[in-house]
Each structure stands twice: as structure tokens, then as C-alpha cells.
Amino acid sequence: MDLLVKATANKFKKTGATKKVSIPGQMENQYPVYSIPLSELFYNNQNGRINTSYKQYQAEKGALTPEPGNSEYNRVFQKLVYDSNPQALKDTLDSIKQKTQQEPGVVLPDGRVIDGNRRFTALRMIENQDKIAQSFETIILPLDSETDEKTIKELELDLQLGREERVNYDPIDRIFDVYNTIKVTKLMTVEEYKKASGAGNSKGINRDIRLAELILRFIGIVSPGGHPVDKFYLARELKLDGPVEEIESTLSKMEDSDKESITDAVLVNLAISKVGDGSRDSTRVMRDLKINVLKNPKQLSHYLDAVDDKVDTVVDAFEANPVKSASDLKLVLNKPEIKPEITKFQNSTGKLIRKGKNDSKRKKALVKLQEIRDSLDDLHVEDFKELTIDENFEAKDVLSEITDILYKLKNDLKNEGGKR
């Protein structure tokens, strides 16, 4: 039965508290808090914090039908919420045991919890441990999970990310949520997502879309077939956020005619770095490749010639054995017939990186200037919108100082060049 109908019929106890939530088109913004038995509620399968984890579950065992109470659906989602951040769950559990539930949740009339998953999980654990029925203190919003999908997503983002006490998503979950909401389901535009999530500007959201597209390209290489977006969980399992963030900007801005082939070679290199000896992390590997090859025209001109045929061999191996997990990646790349090609790939890339490092030592000042240029190029006027008046004046002073330094350096270089 509809929870609002039950609440109107006094089936649930009012706590006396209210919670303010603004919904477009609704005059009411203060909602009464009810104490609702856990048996009436179920997790939100569209929760951005655990969406990639649920994608993995679906890939392995199939989709689940939402069902309240002590259902298989709720048991699976309870584990997903717990596994997403065990320490945060433990802290919430301890807090509720000591002080009871302090912050009301938000649910829909069908029983779907759209805010308060960690509190809901902690109460379910207490109920299971103590064998005493627990209740979730929450408001009930008059929204339908199907017809009001966009409004519900806006509320989720506002409640989870748009408040001062917000806790950010895991990087991969954030990237997926942005891409899924804007590009896949098309529930929101970039501007709408920015507003709902409380982001200062749209630059980070647009970058998350580019990161997602690069991750999807990686998934298309290592796990061809099907829809790459349904396998986004691989990005979390393989911890791709750091290395992909390291190379995205350089690859996106690249104007080389072989950009597409270079991108595939870099992503194959990333895959190979995930099955190394563990002495170097993938982010460091990508940084070395970026600085010493991708940003070094002399070494970049030789890059494809050095690795192209090895890339084809690795891609063919994945075509024959699409990966479904991080362990599958290791199995494919450790096959005896492909191991020699991977060794050649690593040796060829390593040689170019070492040459690039030698160039970088000689051109240290130039490289540093290029890095400063790239950093400044990433800044836009909208990045400064959140500054106070005093901070805005300070930013202008810093820009003036940078201009003076560059003017003097440019003159000094000009005079130095004239002496040679």
C-alpha cells in the first residue's frame, strides 16, 4: 500500500520533527517525519553511489526486482552499500546505537529510499543483530519513481552532493553517474546536473563525461561485445580513475593525425600496467608516458611504429577472451602465447620513455613552462565565480604578478638570444 495513504490513516507514528525539501512545482517544502517500519522500505536501485557495483551484480547474476522487507533484493543492496564504504557504515552504526537516528531520511510512497541508505542499512543490521524490529525516521515525498524520475534524480544529487555536509561519490561512481544521467538516460543537461549537484561550474562535469568516454573505450578494448556502459564496474575494479585522469587532457587536446591509434595504444599500455609486478602504480606509468612520449614530439613520432603491431596482438587476445573481471585481465595478458609480445611492447615503450627523460632533463625549463601553460589553459572565468570580493581582487593581483614575471622572462630570453 502507498505509504502516504498509510500515513494519512495514522498507520505510522509522527516524530514531531519536520524536514525541509524543495521540489519544483510543489508549494509545500516542510514535510513531517514519520517512524516507518523497515519492512515497508527498499533500496533505490538507481543510487549513484552504488550504481557501478549493481551493474557488476547484474552482469554476474542478473537484475533484481525491487521488494521491501527482508527480501533478496534488500539483502543484496545492503551488502553493496556496506562494501562501498565499510568504515562510514561502521561510524553510522555506532552513532545510531549511541544517539539513535539523528537525521531523517527521504522515501517515496512506494517505499523506495532515495536518501539515507547508510542509516537504513545500519538499522537493518541492528534489527538483524538484536532481533528487535526497527523503524526508519523519514519523510515521504509525493513523487512517483517512474513519472518523476528526473525530479527524483535532482533531489538525490542535492541531498547527497549539494549540501555543505555532503560526502563525495567514489571517483568512478561519480564519473559513471554523470555520464549515465546526461548521456545514457538523458535525464539532465550538463547545466541541470551542475545545479542539482552543487558544482561550482560545468568544467568538471564535462571532464567527467570525457573521462567516461575514455573509460568506455578502454572497456571496449579489453571486453569487446555487448554494451561497454553495462561493464563500467570494471573501471572501479581496476581502479582506472587515477591513470585515466592522468592522460585524458593530453589525449583530448592531441592534434596528431594518428590520435585514434595513439589513444588505443595508450589504453593497451594501461591494461598491461595493471598486470605488472606491482612495483609501479598505473597512474605513475601513465604520467611517465604522458610527459616523456605523448608530450614529446620527437618520441611521439616513433611511438606507433614501435608498438603498433604489439597493440594488434593484445587487442586480438581480448577479442578471443573478453574480460569480465580484473582477474580475467591478468589471465589473458599472462597467456604464454602473448607474453613475449607484451614484453616487447614494454621494452619499446620503456626505451622511448628513457629517451624522453633525457630530453626532458636538457629541456627542463621548457617543459616547466609548458606545464604552466597547460595549467593556465585549464582555467576559465567561471572557475572564479565562487570567490569572495576580496579573493577576486587577490586573483587579479596574482594575474598581474604572473604577467610581470612573464614579461621580464620574455625580455631576458630575447636579450640572451641576441648575445648568441
Side-chain angles (χ1 to χ4, degrees), residues 407-420:
Y407 180 79
K408 183 178 185 303
L409 182 60
K410 189 175 180 180
N411 279 339
D412 289 346
L413 280 172
K414 184 178 179 181
N415 294 331
E416 184 68 23
K419 295 177 182 177
R420 294 178 183 178

Side-chain angles (χ1 to χ4, degrees), residues 69-283:
N70 192 29
S71 61
E72 176 65 13
Y73 174 92
N74 271 348
R75 288 194 294 271
V76 168
F77 271 84
Q78 177 174 319
K79 186 175 188 307
L80 295 180
V81 171
Y82 179 87
D83 290 345
S84 69
N85 196 329
Q87 185 57 53
L89 201 290
K90 182 181 181 302
D91 293 342
T92 301
L93 183 67
D94 290 343
S95 174
I96 289 177
K97 282 183 174 180
Q98 293 171 18
K99 299 180 288 187
T100 71
Q101 183 183 341
Q102 299 296 296
E103 176 67 24
V106 179
V107 305
L108 302 183
D110 61 1
R112 186 184 298 267
V113 179
I114 63 169
D115 183 56
N117 284 283
R118 206 171 282 144
R119 283 158 274 164
F120 179 47
T121 300
L123 287 165
R124 282 176 55 84
M125 293 172 69
I126 292 170
E127 182 174 275
N128 185 58
Q129 291 165 3
D130 297 347
K131 307 302 179 187
I132 299 173
Q134 301 292 314
S135 293
F136 186 52
E137 294 187 358
T138 181
I139 64 172
I140 309 168
L141 294 182
L143 297 172
D144 183 271
S145 58
E146 294 183 3
T147 59
D148 296 314
E149 191 176 2
K150 179 181 178 180
T151 300
I152 291 167
K153 184 62 186 179
E154 288 173 340
L155 281 171
E156 178 195 312
L157 290 172
D158 178 51
L159 291 165
Q160 296 188 9
L161 300 177
R163 307 296 176 91
E164 289 183 6
E165 66 273 16
R166 66 189 179 199
V167 177
N168 288 330
Y169 285 4
D170 169 270
I172 291 297
D173 288 329
R174 183 201 72 231
I175 292 167
F176 177 77
D177 192 69
V178 168
Y179 186 82
N180 188 55
T181 303
I182 297 172
K183 294 295 185 177
V184 180
T185 63
K186 301 186 186 300
L187 280 178
M188 295 183 190
T189 64
V190 170
E191 284 301 310
E192 288 170 335
Y193 195 100
K194 179 189 80 171
K195 184 178 179 180
S197 64
N201 56 64
S202 57
K203 185 178 73 170
I205 295 170
N206 283 316
R207 185 174 188 234
D208 280 344
I209 292 172
R210 296 195 303 272
L211 289 170
E213 289 169 345
L214 197 56
I215 288 171
L216 290 171
R217 186 163 180 160
F218 175 90
I219 292 171
I221 291 172
V222 303
S223 186
H227 299 293
V229 75
D230 291 332
K231 305 175 189 178
F232 215 91
Y233 62 86
L234 286 170
R236 185 165 185 170
E237 219 183 355
L238 290 166
K239 296 180 174 63
L240 294 184
D241 51 296
V244 169
E245 287 176 357
E246 190 66 51
I247 56 174
E248 179 277 319
S249 180
T250 301
L251 291 175
S252 293
K253 294 177 182 177
M254 187 176 287
E255 297 179 354
D256 194 287
S257 59
D258 290 318
K259 176 180 177 178
E260 299 305 310
S261 297
I262 290 169
T263 298
D264 286 343
V266 171
L267 294 177
V268 166
N269 198 345
L270 173 55
I272 291 171
S273 74
K274 288 294 178 180
V275 296
D277 58 11
S279 60
R280 300 186 69 221
D281 72 275
S282 297
T283 301

Side-chain angles (χ1 to χ4, degrees), residues 313-364:
T313 301
V314 175
V315 169
D316 288 345
F318 286 128
E319 284 281 356
N321 305 276
V323 309
K324 295 180 180 178
S325 67
S327 57
D328 287 346
L329 187 75
K330 293 181 180 181
L331 287 174
V332 173
L333 294 180
N334 282 326
K335 285 180 177 292
E337 63 269 26
I338 197 177
K339 212 45 173 153
E341 291 301 304
I342 288 176
T343 300
K344 291 178 185 177
F345 184 103
Q346 291 173 315
N347 289 341
S348 298
T349 306
K351 188 176 180 180
L352 288 173
I353 287 173
R354 286 192 294 275
K355 287 182 177 179
K357 283 183 176 179
N358 289 334
D359 279 352
S360 295
K361 287 179 182 177
R362 179 176 57 83
K363 300 187 300 183
K364 185 177 179 180

Side-chain angles (χ1 to χ4, degrees), residues 8-53:
T8 302
N10 296 317
K11 299 290 185 181
F12 306 133
K13 177 185 175 184
K14 281 188 176 182
T15 67
T18 60
K19 183 180 177 76
K20 183 178 180 179
V21 175
S22 298
I23 302 174
Q26 296 277 349
M27 296 293 292
E28 182 66 57
N29 64 7
Q30 289 284 354
Y31 294 88
V33 177
Y34 296 94
S35 183
I36 300 179
L38 303 187
S39 58
E40 301 273 1
L41 308 171
F42 62 91
Y43 290 95
N44 179 19
N45 56 4
Q46 298 300 318
N47 185 344
R49 290 195 189 280
I50 53 175
N51 222 330
T52 55
S53 299

